[in-house]
Amino acid sequence: MKELELKYGCNPNQQPSKVFVNEGELPFEVLNGRPGYINLLDALNSWQLVREMKEATGLPSAASFKHVSPAGAAVGLPLDEILRKIYFVGDGELSPIATAYIRARGADRMSSYGDFAALSDECDAATAKYLKSEVSDGVIAPSYSDEALEILKSKRKGILLTIRLYLSAKKFLV
C-alpha cells in the first residue's frame, strides 16, 4: 500500500488527511480500525522508542504514548506479588512483552488513559488480554498471534486500532 486515508487531521473536527510514500510501500499495515493523524504519530514515535530500548537492552520493550508524548516505557522483567497488586494484575501467566507493557502503562496510569501501546515483540494473547481490559486507542507491534488479533478485534466494539509495523521499516523511521 502506498497511501492511507486517515479518519481526520490533528483533531476530529478537521478534514481527513492522508499519509503516503512516493516510492515503495508504507512501512506499516492497519489490521483493524482506522487511524487519525495523532494516532499515527503516537504509533510511529512510540515504535521508535521501543525499538531503541530493545536494541539497547536485548529485552522485550513496550511504551505507552498519549498525544505524541511517552507516558511510560519499560522492559519485560517479571512482576513480583507486590508489583502485580500495584499494576492491578491478577495471578495469571504473563509473557515478557505483557510485563513490559504493564510496567510501561503503570509508570503513569492517569496519563496512559486512552494511550497508544507500542510493543517491540509479537503481541501475544497475554498482552492482548491486558490491553482489552484497559482504555487504549491502539497498539503497534511487528506481529500478532492469531489469538491476540481475535482478542483485540473484540475490543471497543471492534474498532481498536491495530497496526503491524514491518521490521524492514527501520530505514523509514530514523
Side-chain angles (χ1 to χ4, degrees):
M1 184 168 58
K2 294 180 72 88
E3 179 178 292
L4 175 67
E5 186 170 321
L6 304 175
K7 64 181 173 182
Y8 49 76
C10 278
N11 296 300
N13 63 333
Q14 294 177 326
Q15 294 296 314
S17 299
K18 288 183 184 179
V19 293
F20 64 92
V21 292
N22 289 325
E23 295 179 22
E25 301 289 320
L26 288 171
F28 60 87
E29 176 183 8
V30 176
L31 302 175
N32 195 54
R34 188 168 170 219
Y37 182 66
I38 294 296
N39 296 138
L40 209 49
L41 289 178
D42 282 345
L44 298 177
N45 282 297
S46 61
W47 168 255
Q48 289 183 78
L49 175 59
V50 299
R51 178 182 53 85
E52 289 177 18
M53 286 173 52
K54 172 114 186 199
E55 284 177 7
T57 66
L59 296 170
S61 302
S64 169
F65 260 58
K66 179 89 177 262
H67 299 152
V68 198
S69 296
V75 295
L77 298 174
L79 300 175
D80 63 24
E81 185 178 327
I82 293 170
L83 287 174
R84 283 177 173 265
K85 287 179 183 176
I86 290 170
Y87 296 140
F88 305 103
V89 178
D91 293 333
E93 187 73 27
L94 297 173
S95 64
I97 195 64
T99 62
Y101 180 65
I102 290 165
R103 286 173 176 273
R105 187 173 177 94
D108 187 345
R109 290 189 60 79
M110 294 291 282
S111 294
S112 290
Y113 187 85
D115 70 340
F116 208 96
L119 309 173
S120 67
D121 293 19
E122 179 173 271
C123 181
D124 59 12
T127 309
K129 286 175 187 172
Y130 183 78
L131 274 161
K132 184 175 180 181
S133 70
E134 298 293 339
V135 177
S136 286
D137 284 348
V139 59
I140 187 168
S143 61
Y144 297 82
S145 71
D146 291 339
E147 186 179 2
L149 264 180
E150 289 307 310
I151 293 166
L152 294 172
K153 285 181 179 180
S154 70
K155 182 179 170 69
R156 292 189 66 200
K157 299 178 185 175
I159 63 165
L160 178 74
L161 182 55
T162 308
I163 299 174
R164 182 178 79 198
L165 187 78
Y166 300 114
L167 293 176
S168 61
K170 187 174 178 179
K171 66 181 179 180
F172 290 97
L173 306 169
V174 285

